[in-house]
Amino acid sequence: MTSVAERPAVTPVDAPVSRPVEVKIRRYNPEVSEDVTWVTYTVEAFPADRVLNLLMKIKGEQDGTLTFRRSCAHGVCGSDAMRINGVNRLACKVLMKDMPDRLTIEPIKGLPVEKDLVVDMEPFFEAYRAVKPFLITGGNEPSKEWLQSQADRDRFDDTTKCILCAACTTSCPVFWTDGSYFGPAAIVNAHRFIFDSRDQGAEERLEILNDREGVWRCRTTFNCTEACPRGIQITKAIAEVKQALLFRRV
Amino acid sequence: MTSSPELAPTIIAPRTPQRRTRGRTNTELYAWLFMRVSGILLVVLVLGHLLIMNILDGGVQRINFGFVAGRWASPFWQVWDLLMLWLAQIHGTNGLRTIINDYTRKDQTRFWLKMALYTASALVIALGTLVIFTFDPNIN
C-alpha cells in the first residue's frame, strides 16, 4: 500500500505591495552648470528593494543622466557609499522597508564632487597609501608557513573587514574641514598591520600616525563607527593606536 | 632556475636594526595627554574651589577683600589658585586650538585666530600669576 503524502498546507503569502517614494537627489554636472540642483523623483518601491534599486530605476526609467557608482551591489565592493537621509550608508545595503517615504540622497561629504553622486576618491586613497597598507618584514624569506595563533589573529580581526568605501572617513567632522587628516579608514588599515604579529613595520606606521594630522586629531565622535557598513569598531581601533603610541606597546 | 642578478631582491640581514624614518615629534601626543590629566586635576581643583567659595561657611556672602587676603596669606591656597589658573588656561587654550583647527578653512584665518587666542591666553596667565604672587593685603 502506498501512502501519498499530503500536500503541505500552503499558507498564502501576500504579494509584496509597493508604495511611492519621493527620492530627492543632489545633482551637479560641471559640464552643464556650476550650480547644484536638487531634483525629486517619485519611484515605486517594494519593501525588499534597496536604495540602490531605486537609483537604478530612476536612471533606467526616468533620467539616464543620473550618475552614481555601483559595482557588486551586494555590500562587498564598497563603491556606492552615499549620504542617505543625512547618514553615510551603502545604497545597496539599505532596505526600503526600513526607510520613510522620503529619501534625500547626497554624495559623501568632504571629498570633491565630480558629478552627481560621484566623488573624487583620490585624497582618500592617498591617505590610505600613506600608512603603508602592506606587510613589512625584514630578513630572509621564511622557509615555511608563518603560523599565527588564533589569539594573535583575533587581535586585528575586526579591522581586516574594511572595504574602503570611505563611509567612515567622510562622516568624520574633522575630515570635513581639515582634508589633510588621515581619516578613520586609513587608521583602520594601519591598525590591521600594526597589530599583526607577522608584520614588522608597526613602529614606522605609528610614527606616521603620530603626526600632526594623525590619530590625535580624532575627537571620538563615533560617527565613523556608526557609518561603517561592515560594523567595524573604528573608534575603538583608533583608541588602540593611540594607546600603542602612548605606551610604546603593540 | 636562473635569474638575472639585477632582478634579485636585496635581502637585509635578519638582525639589521630597523631604520627610523624620521624624528618622532610627540607634540600632539603630549597635548592629548595633557588634556586628560589636567581635566582630572581640574575636576578636583574647580569643584573644591566652588564648594569653598559658594557653600561652606556662609557661602558667597562672606567673600570680600579680607577673605581673599586671608586665603592668599597661605602658600597652600596660592599654589591651589595658581595651579587652577594655569591648568584651566592651558586646557581651555588647547581646546580652542583644536576647535580652530577643525573649523577654519583658510590658513590665514587659522593663523590669526590662533595668534589672538595665544595672546589672550598669555595675558590672562601672566596677569593672574602676577596678582597671586604680588598681592598686597595692605593696599589702599
Side-chain angles (χ1 to χ4, degrees):
Chain A
M1 213 172 116
T2 53
S3 64
V4 178
E6 265 185 54
R7 272 200 179 168
V10 177
T11 39
V13 178
D14 293 332
V17 185
S18 70
R19 62 186 163 124
V21 171
E22 273 184 21
V23 187
K24 188 172 147 194
I25 301 176
R26 189 184 191 272
R27 303 290 310 266
Y28 168 72
N29 184 355
E31 287 169 10
V32 175
S33 161
E34 284 297 320
D35 296 332
V36 168
T37 49
W38 289 85
V39 184
T40 306
Y41 304 90
T42 308
V43 216
E44 283 295 311
F46 287 99
D49 272 338
R50 283 93 34 90
V51 172
L52 183 65
N53 294 105
L54 266 58
L55 288 175
M56 302 218 279
K57 267 184 217 169
I58 295 168
K59 188 173 173 71
E61 297 163 11
Q62 298 185 29
D63 187 347
T65 64
L66 179 68
T67 308
F68 54 89
R69 281 197 186 102
R70 72 111 177 80
S71 200
C72 77
H74 289 80
V76 179
C77 72
S79 325
D80 61 350
M82 49 190 75
R83 211 168 145 83
I84 302 167
N85 284 358
V87 288
N88 283 1
R89 290 285 180 268
L90 292 183
C92 56
K93 282 192 81 171
V94 182
L95 280 172
M96 280 315 293
K97 72 178 169 70
D98 303 324
M99 298 304 280
D101 290 341
R102 278 193 183 154
L103 296 182
T104 306
I105 302 180
E106 303 157 73
I108 42 180
K109 271 179 90 170
L111 292 168
V113 179
E114 293 192 327
K115 187 181 177 184
D116 294 346
L117 302 175
V118 174
V119 296
D120 179 9
M121 296 281 280
E122 193 42 39
F124 172 79
F125 285 121
E126 202 182 311
Y128 172 61
R129 285 193 298 266
V131 300
K132 311 195 175 188
F134 41 81
L135 193 77
I136 298 174
T137 59
N140 290 303
E141 268 178 49
S143 52
K144 62 184 177 65
E145 203 179 348
W146 242 331
L147 294 177
Q148 190 170 48
S149 71
Q150 188 59 47
D152 280 346
R153 162 73 200 192
D154 289 344
R155 185 71 193 81
F156 63 95
D157 186 64
D158 199 33
T159 44
T160 60
K161 298 177 197 158
C162 178
I163 53 172
L164 295 170
C165 66
C168 59
T169 295
T170 57
S171 74
C172 174
V174 179
F175 184 80
W176 291 339
T177 45
D178 182 4
S180 44
Y181 171 48
F182 277 104
I187 300 171
V188 159
N189 284 281
H191 178 285
R192 184 250 170 273
F193 286 99
I194 289 169
F195 295 97
D196 187 333
S197 61
R198 298 161 297 190
D199 184 85
Q200 291 165 16
E203 186 64 22
E204 214 175 309
R205 290 194 192 89
L206 284 173
E207 269 181 41
I208 295 166
L209 292 178
N210 195 30
D211 186 78
R212 226 174 69 79
E213 302 295 345
V215 285
W216 306 113
R217 299 235 52 196
C218 166
R219 303 268 168 283
T220 53
T221 54
F222 283 88
N223 276 18
C224 50
T225 307
E226 206 273 331
C228 180
R230 308 301 310 266
I232 302 173
Q233 299 297 310
I234 303 177
T235 316
K236 187 176 168 224
I238 299 175
E240 285 173 359
V241 174
K242 282 178 186 166
Q243 263 180 31
L245 273 165
L246 215 50
F247 302 111
R248 305 285 197 281
R249 191 176 53 211
V250 173
Chain B
M1 199 181 90
T2 55
S3 64
S4 57
E6 63 266 24
L7 287 179
T10 43
I11 293 169
I12 312 160
R15 293 287 170 265
T16 309
Q18 294 270 316
R19 256 182 303 118
R20 285 178 73 91
T21 39
R22 68 198 154 106
R24 186 166 170 159
T25 52
N26 286 321
T27 329
E28 291 295 322
L29 185 154
Y30 292 134
W32 185 88
L33 195 62
F34 173 81
M35 292 305 265
R36 270 85 198 150
V37 175
S38 63
I40 294 166
L41 287 173
L42 280 168
V43 167
V44 178
L45 290 172
V46 174
L47 287 184
H49 179 84
L50 288 174
L51 186 77
I52 293 161
M53 291 297 173
N54 298 321
I55 294 166
L56 299 182
D57 282 342
V60 76
Q61 310 303 331
R62 75 187 194 287
I63 296 178
N64 54 25
F65 187 84
F67 180 80
V68 176
R71 262 168 64 88
W72 277 352
S74 149
F76 177 78
W77 293 116
Q78 275 191 327
V79 171
W80 183 298
D81 283 2
L82 192 75
L83 261 179
M84 203 161 63
L85 170 75
W86 278 69
L87 290 178
Q89 272 297 309
I90 302 174
H91 186 97
T93 306
N94 192 42
L96 272 174
R97 178 185 73 99
T98 54
I99 290 172
I100 292 172
N101 276 340
D102 281 358
Y103 286 97
T104 50
R105 282 156 192 271
K106 287 186 203 149
D107 285 351
Q108 283 275 316
T109 330
R110 185 171 295 151
F111 176 81
W112 287 113
L113 278 176
K114 277 192 198 170
M115 283 302 119
L117 172 70
Y118 295 154
T119 315
S121 178
L123 267 174
V124 172
I125 290 178
L127 203 64
T129 312
L130 186 78
V131 169
I132 290 173
F133 281 123
T134 63
F135 180 75
D136 179 8
N138 302 315
I139 201 165
N140 285 315

